[in-house]
């Protein structure tokens, strides 16, 4: 990439600004990654975006995925040495993925391409970022210490409703100077999801089931984060600071930008599109991280025309894109067949609006205040026009989602997970002439119960028949594999019933119980 020579002169000069303009001076990449959230409560975005030509992008296809990722990070001019970036990317995207291409593309027809983002260790797309961020988090902390900052070690605490917890455990296990504790609602996650978490290996990991639902779990963790006396105790007794690995960290977003750049190069190299030809990208959207990454890829130079935003019955984003009003004042939270998209407050939308307003922090502050106070905000006409120029949106209900899984299996002999099925349907409804790249965010075997419902014509939420209901998640997947002749269940999901359960603690959902459990984990770590 032609930027590499200029870069040496300006090494680390690309700094990160705050979407709410709180007055903190811009920070380098390393600091943005370690801080997570900007001081004023806003999100970090880079001052400058690189710009790549179609030739630059297409040339990436000659490199292995890890080197493509390194090239993109270098183009972003991050303040870590090239060699470090290359080494970390080798670790992030290697044999921990079960496909050499890391995120291969399967084409269902000439113009419909499925980007499989689930070949990592936990079989869901969060691996694409969480196999990468932890290495950059540790390297960033080390770099800041070398520059004289007195940083402690870190403990990542994550409340999870399913997928994020396991992806974070796998990402942070064995990473120096960081430990990770994950809390999930007892009885509130699937058999597969629970087993994935409680069988995690490694010394720096811990998992607790919490009495209560996901909200209780998350509230407890949030209170722990804001308990200053506890923070001081951790710092004094263990030299530890708490940190979160959530999807607003720029270090989770940048790996996602990489795969949109890389997959365009891949489509050209495979002769599926012409260099320079425009494509649309359709993304099953929750927190808006994945689709925002596609927007950044477009800004940087990938010939993307429209970004198609797919929602499930929690359709706040679809309504926003169609009306310009983001309104959760009278919106119920609905449990759907695509639980990782069940979300009301979509935190990465803040970055998107910051960009579409021409980086107007005053507008963002106002809208976020409105959202906080009135549970609703409305963007101005000019911003709404910018939204409409880039995005179109559709929501897909549970029954349609399940019907799509069956239909795509019948028509294309390809098995979609429910999240991808939502995106596939939205893409059919929204697409024009352009080829569409559909982001596939989970392997079907992560959501076997709903795949079973789809294949057997059961309604959403309908109880499984007794013979299927008595199976473990792994056994149910085996049954589906036999019925569909899809024997591609990833090893990490296939073997769960035989793996040792390492974590069986159940704790109360009080902040005291969480703090005590976390401290005792740290004591155990130092011994
Ligand atoms: C997290 C997740 C999503 C939503 O992605 P966002 O970046 O939050 O929009 C979609 N599908 C699956 C399977 C996920 O785990």
């Amino acid at each position: 990439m032609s930027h590499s020579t200029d870069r040496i002169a300006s090494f680390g000069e690309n700094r990160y600004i705050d979407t709410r303009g709180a007055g903190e001076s811009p920070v380098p990449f390393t600091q943005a990654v370690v801080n997570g959230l900007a001081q004023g409560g806003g999100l970090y975005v880079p001052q400058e975006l690189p710009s790549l030509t179609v030739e630059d992008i297409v040339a990436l296809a000659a490199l292995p995925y890890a080197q493509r990722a390194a090239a993109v990070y270098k183009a972003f001019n991050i303040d870590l040495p090239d060699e470090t970036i290359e080494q970390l990317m080798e670790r992030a995207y290697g044999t921990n993925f079960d496909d050499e291409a890391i995120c291969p593309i399967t084409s269902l027809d000439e113009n419909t391409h499925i980007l499989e983002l689930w070949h990592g260790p936990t079989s869901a797309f969060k691996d694409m970022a969480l196999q990468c961020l932890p290495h950059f988090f540790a390297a960033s902390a080390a770099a800041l210490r070398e520059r004289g900052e007195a940083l402690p070690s870190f403990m990542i605490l994550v409340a999870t409703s399913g997928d994020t917890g396991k992806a974070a455990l796998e990402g942070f296990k064995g990473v120096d100077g960081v430990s990770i504790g994950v809390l999930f609602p007892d009885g509130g996650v699937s058999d597969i999801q629970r087993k994935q978490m409680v069988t995690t290996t490694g010394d720096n990991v811990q998992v607790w089931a919490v009495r209560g639902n996901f909200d209780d779990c998350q509230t407890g963790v949030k209170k722990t984060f804001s308990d200053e006396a506890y923070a001081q105790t951790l710092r004094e007794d263990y030299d530890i600071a708490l940190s979160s690995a959530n999807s607003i960290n720029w270090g989770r977003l940048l790996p996602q930008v990489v795969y949109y750049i890389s997959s365009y190069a891949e489509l050209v190299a495979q002769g599926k599109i012409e260099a320079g030809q425009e494509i649309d990208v359709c993304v099953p959207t929750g927190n808006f991280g994945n689709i925002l990454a596609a927007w950044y890829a477009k800004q940087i130079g990938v010939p993307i025309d429209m970004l198609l935003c797919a929602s499930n019955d929690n359709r706040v984003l679809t309504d926003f894109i169609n009306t310009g009003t983001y309104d959760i004042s009278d919106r119920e939270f609905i449990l759907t067949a695509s639980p990782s998209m069940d979300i009301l407050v979509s935190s990465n939308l803040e970055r998107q609006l910051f960009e579409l307003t021409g980086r107007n922090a005053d507008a963002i502050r106002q809208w976020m205040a409105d959202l906080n106070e009135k549970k609703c905000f409305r963007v101005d006409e000019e911003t709404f026009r910018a939204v409409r120029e880039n995005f179109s949106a559709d929501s897909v209900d549970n029954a349609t989602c399940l019907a799509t899984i069956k239909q795509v299996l019948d028509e294309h002999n390809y098995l979609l997970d429910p999240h991808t099925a939502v995106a596939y349907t939205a893409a059919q409804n929204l697409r024009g002439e352009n080829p569409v790249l559909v982001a596939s965010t989970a392997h079907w075997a992560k959501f076997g119960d709903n795949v079973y419902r789809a294949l057997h014509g059961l309604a959403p939420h309908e109880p499984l028949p007794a013979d299927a209901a008595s199976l473990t998640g792994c056994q149910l997947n085996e049954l589906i594999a036999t019925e569909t002749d899809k024997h591609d269940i990833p090893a990490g999901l296939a073997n769960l019933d035989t793996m040792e359960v390492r974590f069986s603690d159940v704790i109360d959902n009080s902040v005291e119980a969480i703090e005590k459990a976390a401290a005792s984990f740290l004591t155990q770590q130092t011994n």
Side-chain angles (χ1 to χ4, degrees), residues 125-126 163 284-290 340-341 419 441-442:
F125 105 100
K126 304 255 179 335
D163 285 350
T285 303
N287 236 333
F288 215 79
N290 201 358
S340 300
M341 300 157 68
H419 302 78
T441 51

Side-chain angles (χ1 to χ4, degrees), residues 86-143:
E86 284 154 22
Q87 284 164 5
L88 298 180
M89 287 305 182
E90 293 295 331
R91 262 187 264 167
Y93 302 111
T95 52
N96 45 339
F97 283 73
D98 69 10
D99 192 299
E100 229 180 310
I102 305 300
C103 46
I105 297 170
T106 297
S107 298
L108 297 189
D109 59 45
E110 247 174 47
N111 282 321
T112 309
H113 309 290
I114 307 285
L115 172 59
E116 297 178 351
L117 299 169
W118 37 259
H119 288 272
T122 83
S123 306
F125 105 100
K126 304 255 179 335
D127 287 334
M128 293 302 300
L130 279 165
Q131 286 296 299
C132 181
L133 163 79
H135 299 301
F136 281 87
F137 187 96
S140 294

Side-chain angles (χ1 to χ4, degrees), residues 157-467:
L157 269 193
V158 180
T160 186
S161 58
D163 285 350
T164 305
K166 176 59 176 178
L169 286 164
E170 281 301 313
F172 280 99
K173 88 178 184 195
V175 171
D176 278 345
V178 188
S179 50
I180 173 156
V182 169
L183 303 100
F184 70 88
D186 192 25
V189 301
S190 75
D191 179 54
I192 293 264
Q193 287 172 327
R194 183 181 59 80
K195 283 178 181 153
Q196 274 193 305
M197 288 189 271
V198 299
T199 59
T200 307
T201 57
D203 295 329
N204 63 334
V205 304
Q206 177 65 257
V207 180
W208 301 279
V210 175
R211 288 183 196 95
N213 60 26
F214 173 61
D215 270 344
D216 298 327
C217 209
Q218 193 168 40
T219 307
V221 170
K222 278 192 183 154
K223 283 187 186 155
T224 303
F225 273 109
S226 56
D227 182 345
E228 282 175 27
Y230 185 64
Q232 199 176 341
T233 308
L234 290 185
R235 189 77 186 236
E236 282 165 7
D237 293 0
Y238 305 97
D239 193 30
I240 284 277
L242 292 179
S243 183
S244 80
N246 60 27
S247 74
I248 48 92
N249 194 307
W250 179 258
R252 268 185 72 172
L253 204 63
L254 194 48
Q256 300 182 252
V257 178
V258 171
Y259 55 70
Y260 288 111
I261 298 175
S262 165
S263 52
Y264 188 86
E266 200 60 45
L267 285 171
V268 174
Q270 294 179 9
K272 291 172 176 166
I273 55 172
E274 302 289 329
Q277 186 182 350
E278 287 198 326
I279 62 168
D280 293 345
V281 174
C282 185
V283 183
T285 303
N287 236 333
F288 215 79
N290 201 358
I291 196 165
L292 172 67
W295 182 86
Y296 274 116
K298 175 179 172 174
Q299 285 313 104
I300 289 166
V302 179
I304 294 171
D305 181 10
M306 292 302 283
L307 299 155
L308 315 179
C309 174
S311 311
N312 59 26
D313 276 322
N314 294 297
R315 48 176 295 152
V316 60
L317 283 167
T318 291
D319 291 342
F320 170 69
I321 289 168
N322 288 330
T323 65
T325 301
Y326 194 97
D327 188 352
I328 54 169
S329 62
D330 189 23
R331 214 177 263 276
E332 257 178 85
F333 181 86
I334 301 168
L335 292 172
T336 73
S338 45
S340 300
M341 300 157 68
D342 289 346
I343 207 156
L344 290 178
V345 177
S346 202
S347 24
N348 264 305
L349 182 62
E350 175 168 345
R351 277 196 176 103
Q352 186 66 72
L353 293 175
F354 184 65
E355 297 290 8
L356 293 179
T357 55
R359 304 193 155 189
N360 181 346
D362 293 335
I364 300 304
R365 255 199 326 276
Q366 182 60 53
W367 295 335
M368 293 305 128
D370 287 349
L371 183 61
N372 197 27
E373 288 151 26
K374 302 176 202 152
K375 305 285 171 228
C376 179
F377 66 87
R378 174 160 183 85
V379 298
D380 59 273
E381 282 311 310
E382 201 181 328
T383 305
F384 183 47
R385 217 173 302 128
V387 169
R388 299 294 305 168
E389 273 164 23
N390 286 278
F391 295 91
S392 57
D394 192 25
S395 93
V396 175
D397 65 26
N398 280 331
T400 309
C401 165
L402 297 190
T404 300
I405 293 175
K406 175 85 168 79
Q407 181 205 331
V408 171
L409 181 69
D410 291 346
E411 284 175 15
H412 300 285
N413 192 25
Y414 188 82
L415 198 45
L416 299 173
D417 99 287
H419 302 78
T420 312
V422 166
Y424 180 88
T425 312
Q428 298 311 319
N429 296 343
L430 297 169
R431 66 189 302 164
E433 299 291 308
N434 293 329
V436 182
L437 184 70
V438 177
S440 175
T441 51
H443 189 277
W444 64 263
K446 281 216 82 164
F447 300 96
D449 51 348
N450 279 317
V451 172
Y452 183 92
R453 285 188 182 92
L455 301 178
H456 290 259
L458 304 182
H461 302 299
E462 186 175 340
L464 301 189
D467 52 341

